[in-house]
Amino acid sequence: MTAKPGHNSFDPTDSRKRCMKYRKRILDISQNVSALHAAGAFSCMELTDTCYHGLMRPDGQDTFLMSKGHGCMAQYVILEDRGVLEKKHLDEYCTPHGILGAHPDYGNPGIEASTGSLGHGMAMAVGMAVAERNKAGGAADAGAVYCVLSDGEVQEGSTWEAFMMASTLGLTNLVALIDNNDFQSLGRTSETHPSFYPLDEKLEAFGWETVIVNGHDADAVYSAVASRKGGKPFCLIGRTTKGKGVSYMENVPIWHYRSPSPDEYKQALAELKEIAS
Amino acid sequence: MRNTFAEVLYDLAKDDPRIHIVVADISPAGSMGKFREEFPERFINVGVAEQAMIGICAGLALKGMRPFAYTIATFSLYRPFEMVRDDLGYQNLPVTVVGIGGGVIYSTLGGTHYAQEDIAIAGAIPNMSIIAPCDPVEATEATKWLVNREGGGPVYFRFGKAGEPTLTGPDSDPWEFGKLRYLRKGEDVAVLSYGVVTKMAAEVADALTADGNSVSLAVCHTLKPLDTEGIANLLRRHKRVIVVEEHAPQGGLAPQTKQIAWDIRAECDLHTFTLKDEFVHCYGSHEDILAAHGLSTERILATVRT
């Protein structure tokens, strides 16, 4: 009962155009507030776009869960583009009269779970996938759950509890996408915690099917998920760059949270281009 | 009490596919075993992984299910606390967190297994309700309510273990969520309690009745939202009120009753008996551990009779 992706006609060219537009929109919003998690959103932009525009079926039966809650700008701009959120919701981001904050809040349009504290999303995704399977009576077309995780939150023990349960429960309608930008607050993970890797082998030992692809290559992401063998929960480890698309943000930890100044904003806009891979 | 709960849940689950039970490696004795055999797709054992237990319950509830997380109280509430707070409280989901052996019931297992401050901790979480039945009949009533209620948020369901006597009867007020109930009504003295230790409260009430007093016995099975009006009326209607509580002195029924007494300028005498703010390093029967905390029928009577 491996869930099939929704759009047989997923076009990576369109995805590249969209992701450039989304990055620009995030930069625009950044000028209204002192801080937003632009770098983390840029890092998972293609992963999130591929879920919404490629993998999830269009009739709403599949679920997207942004476990790395600080990446929610990537989700907000897509939800705006799809008409789920309104322009004013994003224009009022992090203001007292708005509804959107720096982490997803359950109850807001298009937001399926509240996240922000790391290590919570995977277990909720497991519970959702069980519920979808039971509602469908175990049928092959049960609602699928797509969960984007940061690599940092894969350090949480709770995430491994949930990984163990996903395979134990045989959740073939569950897809995890790890935004593996190899950066966390205190530096490059491969240097600060080398034994964190290899990630794919650890997950396979926990009963998952895995693949490692370039997480900024929407075509590769889509194809890897669509062509998975199935029979197990599936994890795509996307190699990504934190701050992808803006040179001074890439792999510089301060951009985890900071908003660009007006000059930096102009430079970022000038630099933005479609990311081929 | 836990067997009654499992039996009721099993019966309700036959007609209600929303009911899911997520346990953390606790033996599915009695009717829990029947549930597991008959509804395997709705019975999840996460193993010794309580954070996953709460997160999975949240995910189930986000998709319209009625999950029950089920293990020993310290492990259902304390170990996965942030999941209880964020996943259940913040999202306001109808998940029941069952804490078996609330208080110091696991009397030979030591402090790691005592949930002696659970009411204070659960009660501090916005949206969280707390129910602590005093006997298997109250556990049945509460379980039915938990399944059939419309909407609603998370509930911490503080349980006993097994073998609790039935304290409620046909003369008791009906069970209603959020309402204090009288098991018997008198004029002079009121003994107020909840949970398994209500047995001790009933013994105190019996002894004071034998002394010639007209004694009420009331249980406050819903600790949150607290029946402030019901407690205020109890304080107004009696000359002497005795609160017996198997919980730390902070954040439970006793200090909240004192607060209500102050707010309404109550004129009654008010005695509260709780666990100590201590870890006791002592092993024995449930009664032995309660006594080590200063909770015994004899001590309460010795204090209130003077």
Side-chain angles (χ1 to χ4, degrees):
Chain A
M1 54 162 288
T2 298
K4 294 283 182 286
H7 300 258
N8 294 324
S9 58
F10 179 66
D11 184 344
T13 313
D14 291 343
S15 174
R16 284 197 282 275
K17 288 192 179 115
R18 279 193 304 269
C19 288
M20 178 170 161
K21 179 178 75 175
Y22 294 151
R23 284 189 171 88
K24 179 175 180 309
R25 178 71 172 125
I26 291 170
L27 288 168
D28 288 346
I29 295 163
S30 78
Q31 296 306 287
N32 303 332
V33 291
S34 61
L36 91 174
H37 298 107
F42 288 1
S43 175
C44 64
M45 196 69 251
E46 284 77 16
L47 294 175
T48 308
D49 177 79
T50 307
C51 287
Y52 273 103
H53 291 103
L55 298 169
M56 291 163 70
R57 287 167 286 186
D59 53 4
Q61 72 214 81
D62 298 330
T63 302
F64 179 86
L65 202 166
M66 182 62 90
S67 185
K68 52 168 286 186
H70 59 284
C72 64
M73 283 309 306
Q75 187 181 13
Y76 291 167
V77 293
I78 292 173
L79 290 173
E80 178 189 37
D81 193 28
R82 296 168 70 88
V84 178
L85 285 170
E86 297 170 28
K87 180 177 180 298
K88 71 163 188 159
H89 292 141
L90 276 80
D91 291 343
E92 294 170 349
Y93 170 76
C94 282
T95 61
H97 42 285
I99 61 168
L100 299 178
H103 294 119
D105 201 349
Y106 174 60
N108 278 333
I111 302 301
E112 302 277 1
S114 295
T115 51
S117 176
L118 297 176
H120 289 244
M122 198 63 236
M124 288 196 279
V126 168
M128 287 174 167
V130 171
E132 293 293 3
R133 184 171 69 179
N134 285 349
K135 278 195 235 174
D141 63 347
V145 180
Y146 295 90
C147 180
V148 169
L149 299 108
S150 73
D151 48 6
E153 71 177 319
V154 177
Q155 294 171 347
E156 295 278 7
S158 56
T159 301
W160 290 97
E161 290 184 7
F163 282 153
M164 176 186 77
M165 284 313 298
S167 53
T168 300
L169 293 165
L171 295 174
T172 54
N173 58 336
L174 179 61
V175 175
L177 302 101
I178 298 178
D179 177 11
N180 188 199
N181 57 36
D182 197 38
F183 258 91
Q184 49 195 118
S185 294
L186 279 183
R188 198 180 270 282
T189 308
S190 50
E191 292 167 6
T192 60
H193 297 82
S195 58
F196 179 69
Y197 298 102
L199 209 44
D200 55 340
E201 290 176 21
K202 289 187 179 69
L203 270 153
E204 280 164 23
F206 267 61
W208 285 60
E209 180 185 352
T210 68
V211 67
I212 301 178
V213 299
N214 176 348
H216 296 300
D217 182 344
D219 195 17
V221 172
Y222 178 81
S223 303
V225 179
S227 64
R228 67 189 193 269
K229 283 189 255 155
K232 291 178 175 182
F234 184 77
C235 180
L236 180 138
I237 299 163
R239 282 210 197 93
T240 54
T241 302
K242 196 158 181 180
K244 180 74 175 179
V246 178
S247 61
Y248 60 82
M249 284 188 186
E250 290 187 0
N251 297 331
V252 179
I254 192 170
W255 294 102
H256 175 75
Y257 193 55
R258 215 184 114 185
S259 277
S261 69
D263 285 344
E264 288 163 341
Y265 166 71
K266 279 183 209 154
Q267 183 192 334
L269 285 191
E271 278 187 18
L272 272 187
K273 58 178 188 297
E274 288 181 23
I275 294 164
S277 63
Chain B
M1 197 180 280
R2 62 185 178 190
N3 289 338
T4 311
F5 164 75
E7 188 69 44
V8 173
L9 213 50
Y10 167 75
D11 283 340
L12 293 169
K14 290 176 192 166
D15 297 319
D16 191 340
R18 299 174 308 163
I19 297 175
H20 285 61
I21 301 179
V22 185
V23 308
D25 198 40
I26 196 153
S27 64
S31 296
M32 202 62 93
K34 276 200 293 188
F35 188 104
R36 183 191 198 182
E37 279 170 29
E38 206 153 317
F39 314 113
E41 73 287 354
R42 292 194 270 147
F43 181 91
I44 298 172
N45 174 20
V46 296
V48 190
E50 292 84 2
Q51 298 177 97
M53 174 181 72
I54 300 298
I56 288 171
C57 281
L60 287 164
L62 284 163
K63 292 293 179 188
M65 301 304 181
R66 282 287 157 103
F68 288 76
Y70 183 88
T71 187
I72 295 171
T74 46
F75 311 129
S76 67
L77 183 64
Y78 297 174
R79 169 64 68 94
F81 175 76
E82 201 217 16
M83 281 67 188
V84 173
R85 177 188 180 272
D86 291 4
D87 301 354
L88 309 187
Y90 185 40
Q91 299 189 109
N92 200 20
L93 299 177
V95 174
T96 302
V97 178
V98 179
I100 308 163
V104 293
I105 289 178
Y106 284 105
S107 56
T108 59
L109 301 183
T112 57
H113 283 59
Y114 295 158
Q116 63 191 52
E117 62 286 80
D118 53 343
I119 306 293
I121 288 170
I125 303 171
N127 292 329
M128 180 67 76
S129 299
I130 303 172
I131 302 174
C134 74
D135 71 1
V137 183
E138 277 203 339
T140 300
E141 295 285 337
T143 306
K144 287 180 183 167
W145 179 84
L146 286 162
V147 170
N148 294 321
R149 68 193 165 127
E150 294 290 324
V155 176
Y156 175 61
F157 198 19
R158 186 210 236 204
F159 251 41
K161 208 166 64 173
E164 293 85 1
T166 297
L167 301 169
T168 55
D171 296 336
S172 303
D173 290 343
W175 189 93
E176 188 181 345
F177 174 74
K179 292 288 177 205
L180 173 152
R181 66 196 290 228
Y182 287 87
L183 307 190
R184 52 182 118 142
K185 265 190 173 161
E187 303 292 330
D188 307 324
V189 182
V191 186
L192 176 63
S193 190
Y194 66 89
V196 176
V197 83
T198 302
K199 176 170 172 280
M200 187 184 293
E203 288 169 3
V204 170
D206 289 345
L208 294 176
T209 304
D211 289 350
N213 299 290
S214 172
V215 183
S216 295
L217 176 63
V219 289
C220 191
H221 48 78
T222 307
L223 279 306
K224 189 185 173 189
L226 195 64
D227 184 4
T228 306
E229 193 184 331
I231 292 173
N233 287 335
L234 179 139
L235 292 163
R236 287 192 192 102
R237 284 189 49 231
H238 299 86
K239 298 184 194 74
R240 174 173 283 199
V241 172
I242 301 160
V243 181
V244 180
E245 178 175 31
E246 185 177 353
H247 186 266
Q250 309 91 343
L253 179 63
Q256 293 188 85
T257 302
K258 284 182 181 170
Q259 186 178 325
I260 295 165
W262 170 263
D263 288 345
I264 66 165
R265 302 291 187 266
E267 292 176 356
C268 61
D269 291 335
L270 178 55
H271 307 268
T272 61
F273 298 90
T274 68
L275 300 177
K276 295 175 182 173
D277 180 22
E278 282 177 23
F279 290 116
V280 299
H281 294 265
C282 144
Y283 308 94
S285 68
H286 185 203
E287 287 71 25
D288 291 332
I289 310 306
L290 291 172
H293 272 282
L295 271 183
S296 70
T297 306
E298 295 71 28
R299 180 174 166 261
I300 293 169
L301 287 171
T303 306
V304 301
R305 275 173 170 157
T306 55

